[in-house]
Amino acid sequence: MSNPSSSSSSPPPPSSPPEHVSKADCLFCKIRDGQIPATIVYRDERVLAFKDIGPKAPLHQLVIPLDHIETLAEAAPAHEALLGHMMLTAAQLARDAGHGDKGFRVVMNSGVGAGQTVFHLHLHILAGRSFGWPPG
Ligand code: 5GP
Ligand code: ZN
């Protein structure tokens, strides 16, 4: 007997959580899923932003894609709009925190040699102090 609810063409019920590309044991996937606590400052259907646990400036937030992408080096053309959305989200969060005029820095470390320690792509937003150049 056919079961209408098992039809492959049926949309998921409204209460179903969204599916995201995930990697087991990824710290930031766990923050995304609420398995590890974090101070969330923004979330939409594509990105999540939260306070860095070890702030390197008075404002230090991280913007991550909800989908697990390991590094910027592995990002694909299909991620172009997502990466732009991450940048615009970072700018909005910096403005919201009052740093739009004074200035802020965004940083994305890609790979061990650049200092990446968590392999779920993320954009750092840093503000509230002066910054040297070139970065260390
Ligand atoms: P990366 O070195 O990979 O560019 O940046 C990783 C960042 O994640 C670091 O700034 C680090 O302080 C932050 N971080 C590491 N573990 C946690 C955590 O459990 N919670 C939060 N909120 N940030 C974390
Ligand atoms: Zn992840």
Side-chain angles (χ1 to χ4, degrees):
M1 187 164 63
S2 69
N3 178 352
S5 67
S6 66
S7 165
S8 61
S9 63
S10 298
S15 59
S16 293
E19 296 282 338
H20 298 296
V21 177
S22 293
K23 185 176 183 192
D25 296 326
C26 170
L27 178 64
F28 288 174
C29 284
K30 289 181 177 176
I31 288 176
R32 176 201 66 203
D33 294 339
Q35 296 167 4
I36 290 176
T39 303
I40 307 296
V41 296
Y42 179 78
R43 184 179 189 125
D44 65 21
E45 73 283 357
R46 287 185 283 173
V47 301
L48 175 71
F50 51 89
K51 292 185 178 180
D52 195 291
I53 202 168
K56 307 301 187 293
L59 177 84
H60 189 173
Q61 300 175 351
L62 304 173
V63 183
I64 71 166
L66 295 183
D67 284 337
H68 181 92
I69 302 165
E70 302 233 335
T71 69
L72 183 60
E74 295 178 17
H79 299 129
E80 184 173 349
L82 172 65
L83 291 165
H85 183 55
M86 289 175 66
M87 291 294 279
L88 292 177
T89 299
Q92 184 65 55
L93 290 170
R95 283 196 299 270
D96 289 350
H99 298 286
D101 293 332
K102 288 177 285 182
F104 59 93
R105 181 169 286 182
V106 293
V107 175
M108 188 178 285
N109 298 319
S110 183
V112 173
Q116 186 174 3
T117 59
V118 178
F119 285 81
H120 180 134
L121 185 146
H122 51 279
L123 191 60
H124 296 257
I125 314 165
L126 299 141
R129 65 171 171 85
S130 59
F131 295 97
W133 192 263

Short mmCIF file of all heavy atoms in Angstrom, two decimals, residues 21-33 35-36 68 70 117-120:
data_model
loop_
_atom_site.label_atom_id
_atom_site.label_comp_id
_atom_site.label_asym_id
_atom_site.label_seq_id
_atom_site.Cartn_x
_atom_site.Cartn_y
_atom_site.Cartn_z
N VAL A 21 25.73 20.84 4.86
CA VAL A 21 26.94 20.05 4.67
C VAL A 21 27.69 20.08 5.99
O VAL A 21 27.94 21.15 6.55
CB VAL A 21 27.81 20.64 3.54
CG1 VAL A 21 29.10 19.87 3.40
CG2 VAL A 21 27.02 20.65 2.23
N SER A 22 28.01 18.92 6.52
CA SER A 22 28.62 18.82 7.84
C SER A 22 29.84 17.93 7.80
O SER A 22 30.00 17.11 6.90
CB SER A 22 27.64 18.24 8.86
OG SER A 22 26.58 19.12 9.09
N LYS A 23 30.70 18.10 8.81
CA LYS A 23 31.80 17.17 9.01
C LYS A 23 31.81 16.79 10.48
O LYS A 23 31.78 17.67 11.36
CB LYS A 23 33.14 17.79 8.61
CG LYS A 23 34.27 16.78 8.71
CD LYS A 23 35.57 17.35 8.23
CE LYS A 23 36.65 16.27 8.29
NZ LYS A 23 37.99 16.83 8.12
N ALA A 24 31.84 15.49 10.73
CA ALA A 24 31.87 15.03 12.12
C ALA A 24 33.11 15.58 12.80
O ALA A 24 34.17 15.71 12.19
CB ALA A 24 31.89 13.50 12.14
N ASP A 25 32.95 15.93 14.05
CA ASP A 25 34.03 16.44 14.88
C ASP A 25 34.54 17.82 14.46
O ASP A 25 35.62 18.23 14.87
CB ASP A 25 35.21 15.45 14.93
CG ASP A 25 34.81 14.14 15.59
OD1 ASP A 25 33.97 14.17 16.51
OD2 ASP A 25 35.33 13.09 15.17
N CYS A 26 33.76 18.52 13.66
CA CYS A 26 34.13 19.92 13.34
C CYS A 26 33.56 20.82 14.42
O CYS A 26 32.35 20.84 14.67
CB CYS A 26 33.61 20.33 11.97
SG CYS A 26 33.79 22.11 11.67
N LEU A 27 34.45 21.58 15.05
CA LEU A 27 34.05 22.48 16.14
C LEU A 27 32.97 23.46 15.71
O LEU A 27 31.97 23.67 16.42
CB LEU A 27 35.29 23.23 16.62
CG LEU A 27 35.15 24.26 17.72
CD1 LEU A 27 34.71 23.61 19.01
CD2 LEU A 27 36.47 24.99 17.91
N PHE A 28 33.14 24.07 14.54
CA PHE A 28 32.19 25.09 14.13
C PHE A 28 30.89 24.48 13.63
O PHE A 28 29.82 25.12 13.76
CB PHE A 28 32.82 26.03 13.11
CG PHE A 28 33.86 26.97 13.68
CD1 PHE A 28 34.59 27.80 12.84
CD2 PHE A 28 34.09 27.04 15.05
CE1 PHE A 28 35.54 28.67 13.37
CE2 PHE A 28 35.05 27.89 15.58
CZ PHE A 28 35.78 28.72 14.73
N CYS A 29 30.90 23.27 13.07
CA CYS A 29 29.63 22.59 12.77
C CYS A 29 28.87 22.34 14.07
O CYS A 29 27.64 22.47 14.12
CB CYS A 29 29.88 21.27 12.04
SG CYS A 29 30.32 21.41 10.29
N LYS A 30 29.61 22.01 15.13
CA LYS A 30 28.95 21.76 16.42
C LYS A 30 28.38 23.05 17.01
O LYS A 30 27.31 23.04 17.62
CB LYS A 30 29.93 21.09 17.39
CG LYS A 30 30.24 19.65 17.00
CD LYS A 30 31.19 18.99 17.98
CE LYS A 30 31.40 17.54 17.57
NZ LYS A 30 32.39 16.86 18.44
N ILE A 31 29.08 24.16 16.86
CA ILE A 31 28.52 25.44 17.30
C ILE A 31 27.27 25.75 16.49
O ILE A 31 26.24 26.16 17.03
CB ILE A 31 29.58 26.56 17.19
CG1 ILE A 31 30.63 26.38 18.29
CG2 ILE A 31 28.93 27.95 17.27
CD1 ILE A 31 31.79 27.36 18.25
N ARG A 32 27.34 25.57 15.17
CA ARG A 32 26.17 25.79 14.30
C ARG A 32 24.98 24.98 14.79
O ARG A 32 23.84 25.46 14.80
CB ARG A 32 26.52 25.38 12.87
CG ARG A 32 25.37 25.47 11.88
CD ARG A 32 25.64 24.60 10.66
NE ARG A 32 25.67 23.20 11.03
CZ ARG A 32 26.31 22.25 10.32
NH1 ARG A 32 26.98 22.55 9.23
NH2 ARG A 32 26.27 20.99 10.75
N ASP A 33 25.22 23.73 15.21
CA ASP A 33 24.13 22.84 15.60
C ASP A 33 23.76 22.96 17.07
O ASP A 33 22.90 22.21 17.56
CB ASP A 33 24.52 21.40 15.29
CG ASP A 33 24.65 21.15 13.78
OD1 ASP A 33 24.08 21.94 13.00
OD2 ASP A 33 25.31 20.17 13.40
N GLN A 35 25.56 22.23 19.64
CA GLN A 35 26.16 21.19 20.48
C GLN A 35 27.29 21.74 21.34
O GLN A 35 27.67 21.13 22.34
CB GLN A 35 26.69 20.04 19.60
CG GLN A 35 25.57 19.32 18.85
CD GLN A 35 26.10 18.40 17.75
OE1 GLN A 35 27.31 18.24 17.59
NE2 GLN A 35 25.20 17.80 17.00
N ILE A 36 27.86 22.86 20.92
CA ILE A 36 28.87 23.57 21.71
C ILE A 36 28.37 25.00 21.85
O ILE A 36 27.97 25.62 20.86
CB ILE A 36 30.25 23.52 21.03
CG1 ILE A 36 30.80 22.09 21.08
CG2 ILE A 36 31.23 24.50 21.67
CD1 ILE A 36 32.12 21.92 20.35
N HIS A 68 29.64 23.23 5.80
CA HIS A 68 31.05 22.99 6.09
C HIS A 68 31.88 23.09 4.82
O HIS A 68 31.75 22.27 3.91
CB HIS A 68 31.23 21.61 6.73
CG HIS A 68 32.65 21.30 7.07
ND1 HIS A 68 33.19 21.57 8.30
CD2 HIS A 68 33.65 20.78 6.31
CE1 HIS A 68 34.46 21.22 8.30
NE2 HIS A 68 34.78 20.73 7.11
N GLU A 70 36.10 23.63 4.19
CA GLU A 70 37.27 23.59 5.08
C GLU A 70 38.13 24.85 5.02
O GLU A 70 38.51 25.39 6.05
CB GLU A 70 38.13 22.37 4.74
CG GLU A 70 37.36 21.07 4.85
CD GLU A 70 38.01 20.03 5.73
OE1 GLU A 70 39.23 20.08 5.91
OE2 GLU A 70 37.25 19.17 6.24
N THR A 117 43.49 27.43 12.32
CA THR A 117 43.49 26.37 13.32
C THR A 117 42.18 25.61 13.37
O THR A 117 42.13 24.48 13.87
CB THR A 117 43.77 26.94 14.73
OG1 THR A 117 42.76 27.92 15.05
CG2 THR A 117 45.15 27.59 14.80
N VAL A 118 41.10 26.21 12.88
CA VAL A 118 39.80 25.53 12.82
C VAL A 118 39.45 25.41 11.34
O VAL A 118 39.31 26.42 10.64
CB VAL A 118 38.70 26.31 13.57
CG1 VAL A 118 37.35 25.59 13.44
CG2 VAL A 118 39.07 26.48 15.05
N PHE A 119 39.29 24.15 10.89
CA PHE A 119 39.14 23.91 9.45
C PHE A 119 37.68 23.84 9.03
O PHE A 119 37.22 22.87 8.45
CB PHE A 119 39.99 22.70 9.04
CG PHE A 119 41.44 23.10 9.00
CD1 PHE A 119 42.19 23.14 10.18
CD2 PHE A 119 42.03 23.53 7.83
CE1 PHE A 119 43.51 23.57 10.17
CE2 PHE A 119 43.35 23.97 7.81
CZ PHE A 119 44.09 23.99 8.98
N HIS A 120 36.97 24.91 9.38
CA HIS A 120 35.66 25.26 8.86
C HIS A 120 35.81 26.73 8.54
O HIS A 120 36.00 27.56 9.45
CB HIS A 120 34.56 25.00 9.90
CG HIS A 120 33.17 25.32 9.46
ND1 HIS A 120 32.09 24.44 9.67
CD2 HIS A 120 32.65 26.40 8.87
CE1 HIS A 120 30.99 24.99 9.20
NE2 HIS A 120 31.30 26.19 8.70
#
